[in-house]
Structure formats: structure tokens, C-alpha cells
Amino acid sequence: MLKPNPQQLKTLGQREEALAAGLEAAEIYRQLAQERPDTHRPDLASNLHNLSLFLRELGRVEEALAKATEAVGIYRQLPDEHRPDLADSLHSLSVILENLRRLEDALAPAIEAVQIYRQLAQEQPDAHRPDLADSLHNLSIDLGNLRRQEEALAAALEALEIRQELAQAWPDGYQDDVAESVRFLSWLQRDT
């Protein structure tokens, strides 16, 4: 009999079972990655990244930090085809650090995520401009929290510009993002 995967359990509201399944999967991928690293390290990194998101959602932020840090470490060792995954994991790591109020520590992964997404967006704009906008928005929050208003404003304005362009092409998909950027910009500008 097939077991449901962690995402199916999570969707069904069985959070503890989903977490247990995700942790079990991580250990299986860890063993497989030792046996065949080229084949299974990407799977392990992906599983750890997903676990970090789920643990953060459950309020287990310190545990999420450990999984996110490990995922980033693995993605750094993988070929360039995994750059989008590295950028996504760096973005998540930054958010987790921000949740822990480690604001200075959150900045470096946020900056690196923006740098990677900027390169990817130049190569494949349709695929990566939304991620670039999200990472710029996250960076602007980190910079704002550190009272680096001018830098925060520049990142927020760039995120807004990209989101407005996306919303022109796909209104149903990006209007909420535009509203989020405008709301954050108003918050930033009230402090300047």
C-alpha cells in the first residue's frame, strides 16, 4: 500500500503526520545521497528546503533554520542548473532569519538571492522576473528593518516596477503583488 506524501497529509490537515513523513523522507534521501550523491543530493536539498518552509509555518523556526541552512549548503555544491533552487533557498533562509529577528544575518542571503535571480532573469525573463521581484521585495523589507531607508526604497521601487510590468501582462496573477509593494512603499516613505 502506498503512503500519502507529506504534502498530501499537510493538505488534509494532518500536520504532525506530514512533518513525520517529511523527516523520514529526509533521512531516506540522506542515505541515498551518500550512496549516489550526483543523483540524490538535489532531492535531499529539495526535501530539506520544503521541510524548512513547513517547520517555519508550524512556528518551529529554529528547526526551520537548521534545515534551510543545510539545504543552501547542498545547493551551493550542485551544478549551475540548480541556481534557481539555490536562490529560492537563500530567499527562504533570509525570511527565517528575519523571523528570528536576526536582521543583520538575514541581509546576506537576501542580497545573494537577488543577485542570482537578477542573472537568471536576464537569461530567462519570463521564468525568473517574478522571483526577482519577490526577492527584491524581501530585500527591501530587510533593509527597512535595518533602517537603511535609501537602499530599502531603491529595492522596493525596483520590485514595484517589475510587478507593475508583470501585472500589465497578467493582471489576475500580479495585482496582489503590486498592492503589496505599494503598501510597503508607503510604510517606508512614512519613515523618511
Side-chain angles (χ1 to χ4, degrees), residues 6-69:
Q7 187 60 41
Q8 290 169 325
L9 290 169
K10 183 179 164 191
T11 302
L12 294 171
Q14 298 173 339
R15 295 181 173 280
E16 290 305 316
E17 294 89 343
L19 179 58
L23 291 169
E24 180 182 356
E27 289 313 308
I28 293 168
Y29 283 129
R30 195 177 306 284
Q31 291 171 357
L32 291 170
Q34 287 176 354
E35 295 166 12
R36 294 193 356 225
D38 291 343
T39 302
H40 294 292
R41 280 188 323 157
D43 298 327
L44 174 59
S46 176
N47 179 264
L48 291 167
H49 173 76
N50 290 334
L51 271 172
S52 76
L53 298 176
F54 190 38
L55 286 162
R56 178 178 161 258
E57 188 180 307
L58 293 173
R60 296 166 64 171
V61 187
E62 289 288 345
E63 292 172 81
L65 176 61
K67 301 299 183 203
T69 301

Side-chain angles (χ1 to χ4, degrees), residues 26-178:
E27 289 313 308
I28 293 168
Y29 283 129
R30 195 177 306 284
Q31 291 171 357
L32 291 170
Q34 287 176 354
E35 295 166 12
R36 294 193 356 225
D38 291 343
T39 302
H40 294 292
R41 280 188 323 157
D43 298 327
L44 174 59
S46 176
N47 179 264
L48 291 167
H49 173 76
N50 290 334
L51 271 172
S52 76
L53 298 176
F54 190 38
L55 286 162
R56 178 178 161 258
E57 188 180 307
L58 293 173
R60 296 166 64 171
V61 187
E62 289 288 345
E63 292 172 81
L65 176 61
K67 301 299 183 203
T69 301
E70 187 178 359
V72 166
I74 294 169
Y75 278 129
R76 286 190 191 287
Q77 299 169 9
L78 296 177
D80 278 355
E81 68 192 62
H82 296 281
R83 283 184 309 151
D85 301 316
L86 173 59
D88 192 30
S89 289
L90 286 162
H91 177 93
S92 296
L93 176 59
S94 175
V95 171
I96 290 167
L97 288 164
E98 182 186 323
N99 290 162
L100 290 168
R101 305 303 297 158
R102 292 175 52 184
L103 303 179
E104 288 286 341
D105 293 335
L107 194 56
I111 290 170
E112 189 177 355
V114 166
Q115 291 169 340
I116 294 169
Y117 277 131
R118 195 178 299 285
Q119 293 169 348
L120 292 168
Q122 287 175 349
E123 296 165 13
Q124 296 178 307
D126 290 344
H128 297 292
R129 283 178 47 106
D131 297 322
L132 174 59
D134 290 346
S135 288
L136 283 162
H137 180 77
N138 183 55
L139 176 59
S140 69
I141 291 169
D142 290 343
L143 290 164
N145 285 333
L146 293 170
R147 301 285 180 216
R148 293 168 61 174
Q149 297 306 103
E150 286 183 29
E151 294 168 274
L153 189 58
L157 286 169
E158 186 179 355
L160 175 61
E161 181 181 334
I162 294 168
R163 286 174 165 181
Q164 286 173 326
E165 290 169 6
L166 292 168
Q168 279 185 322
W170 301 282
D172 292 341
Y174 294 98
Q175 285 297 342
D176 288 347
D177 292 341
V178 170

